[in-house]
C-alpha cells in the first residue's frame, strides 16, 4: 500500500470548513484513497473514499488532484463533534485475502468554539 | 440502520481468567474483522472472517486467543488465561466486501464501539 503523509494537527473554527490534506505521491493506478476518523474513546469511523473523481456524501467531500498524488478531505461545516484524528489511507481492492486496515499517525483535528 | 454492536462495553477480569467478547456485525456484511487497540496506539489486526472461507488467524498474538463466527453472523473472541498485557480495547468491524450492489468494498469497514478489557 502506498505511503501517505498528513499534517500532525490542525485547528478549525466551529461552523467553518475544515480542509484536511493528504499526500500520496506513490499511489498506483488501482489504489483508492480512503478516509477514516477516530473520535476519542470510540472505534474508527469510515468517512469516504474515491479513485480519481471527486466524491461527496453526507459526511464530507473528497477532492483528488488530477495526478492523484494528493487529496483533501473537506468537512463543510465543522462542529465540535468533528474533533478527532483523521486518517488518510491508500489501498487497492483485492479479493480473497484479509484487507486489515493499518492507520498511520493521522491528523488531529480540533474544532474550536 | 443498526450498526455493529459489541458486548460487553467494559470488562474487568482477573489475571488467569477466560473472557468472551461478542460482536454483532451489520446484517448482510460478509466480512468480519477483530482488532485491538492499546491506549494511544494504532490498530492491531487479530483475525478476519469472510463468508464460509477459513478465517485468517495470522494476527492472533498467541494460542490463548481464538474466535469463531457462527452462521456467518455473530462472532465471539475468546481469550483464555488472560494476562495483563491483554488489556486493550477490542474492536470488531464488518464490511460488505462485494455484498454492496456487486461492487467490491473491501476497505469500507464499519466498526463497533469496542470492548474495553482490563486485566488486573
Amino acid at each position: 500500500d502506498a505511503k501517505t503523509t498528513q499534517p500532525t494537527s490542525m485547528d478549525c473554527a466551529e461552523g467553518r470548513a475544515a480542509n484536511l490534506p493528504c499526500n500520496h505521491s506513490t499511489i498506483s493506478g488501482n489504489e483508492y484513497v480512503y478516509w477514516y476518523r477516530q473520535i476519542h474513546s470510540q472505534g474508527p469511523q469510515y468517512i469516504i473514499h474515491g479513485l480519481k473523481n471527486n466524491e461527496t456524501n453526507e459526511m464530507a467531500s473528497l477532492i483528488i488532484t488530477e495526478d492523484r498524488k494528493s487529496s483533501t478531505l473537506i468537512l463543510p461545516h465543522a462542529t465540535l463533534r468533528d474533533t478527532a484524528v483523521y486518517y488518510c489511507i491508500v489501498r487497492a481492492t483485492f479479493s480473497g485475502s484479509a484487507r486489515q486496515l493499518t492507520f498511520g499517525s493521522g491528523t488531529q483535528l480540533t474544532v474550536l468554539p | 440502520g443498526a450498526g455493529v454492536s459489541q458486548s460487553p462495553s467494559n470488562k474487568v477480569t482477573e489475571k488467569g481468567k477466560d473472557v468472551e467478547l461478542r460482536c454483532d456485525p451489520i446484517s448482510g456484511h460478509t466480512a468480519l474483522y477483530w482488532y485491538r487497540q492499546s491506549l494511544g496506539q494504532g490498530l492491531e489486526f487479530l483475525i478476519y472472517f469472510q463468508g464460509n472461507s477459513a478465517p485468517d488467524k495470522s494476527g492472533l498474538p498467541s494460542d490463548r486467543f481464538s474466535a469463531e463466527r457462527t452462521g456467518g453472523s455473530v462472532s465471539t473472541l475468546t481469550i483464555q488465561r488472560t494476562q495483563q498485557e491483554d488489556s486493550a480495547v477490542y474492536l470488531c468491524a464488518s464490511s460488505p466486501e462485494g455484498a454492496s450492489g456487486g461492487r467490491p468494498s473491501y476497505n469500507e469497514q464499519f466498526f463497533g464501539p469496542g470492548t474495553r478489557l482490563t486485566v488486573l
Side-chain angles (χ1 to χ4, degrees):
Chain A
D1 297 333
K3 176 180 168 58
T4 63
T5 305
Q6 299 177 251
T8 302
S9 64
M10 292 181 64
D11 292 341
C12 176
E14 188 178 17
R16 305 296 292 269
N19 297 287
L20 294 98
C22 180
N23 288 325
H24 31 80
S25 58
T26 60
I27 192 171
S28 60
N30 65 342
E31 289 182 316
Y32 288 71
V33 180
Y34 287 82
W35 283 83
Y36 280 77
R37 72 180 181 183
Q38 189 167 21
I39 297 169
H40 182 62
S41 297
Q42 297 185 22
Q45 179 184 24
Y46 164 80
I47 301 174
I48 198 167
H49 75 280
L51 182 62
K52 54 183 177 181
N53 297 320
N54 297 339
E55 302 286 345
T56 296
N57 63 20
E58 65 278 5
M59 289 184 67
S61 295
L62 174 60
I63 308 299
I64 302 173
T65 59
E66 191 169 343
D67 63 7
R68 302 206 325 121
K69 293 185 177 182
S70 66
S71 61
T72 302
L73 179 74
I74 301 172
L75 307 179
H77 306 287
T79 71
L80 299 178
R81 289 172 294 182
D82 292 323
T83 293
V85 180
Y86 286 77
Y87 298 99
C88 166
I89 60 174
V90 175
R91 302 291 296 275
T93 297
F94 297 118
S95 62
S97 61
R99 298 304 297 159
Q100 60 268 29
L101 295 175
T102 303
F103 293 150
S105 54
T107 296
Q108 171 66 60
L109 174 69
T110 302
V111 180
L112 304 172
Chain B
V4 177
S5 61
Q6 292 185 246
S7 60
S9 56
N10 280 285
K11 178 71 176 178
V12 180
T13 190
E14 294 179 347
K15 178 182 173 181
K17 295 288 181 67
D18 298 351
V19 295
E20 281 192 355
L21 312 179
R22 177 187 167 104
C23 172
D24 284 85
I26 293 172
S27 177
H29 282 192
T30 58
L32 187 147
Y33 296 77
W34 281 98
Y35 298 86
R36 70 177 176 183
Q37 189 172 35
S38 300
L39 187 63
Q41 301 299 309
L43 294 178
E44 178 185 359
F45 166 73
L46 298 177
I47 190 169
Y48 162 71
F49 295 90
Q50 169 55 283
N52 296 321
S53 303
D56 180 338
K57 305 179 182 179
S58 60
L60 295 178
S62 78
D63 59 8
R64 295 186 295 104
F65 288 72
S66 63
E68 62 177 21
R69 188 179 185 193
T70 54
S73 181
V74 171
S75 177
T76 303
L77 177 69
T78 302
I79 309 174
Q80 296 177 310
R81 304 181 302 281
T82 52
Q83 304 294 313
Q84 289 182 329
E85 60 263 29
D86 298 336
S87 296
V89 176
Y90 288 80
L91 292 160
C92 172
S94 70
S95 175
E97 294 199 5
S100 176
R103 178 177 68 87
S105 303
Y106 297 103
N107 298 313
E108 295 173 42
Q109 295 184 18
F110 298 85
F111 286 79
T115 294
R116 181 174 299 278
L117 175 66
T118 304
V119 182
L120 302 176

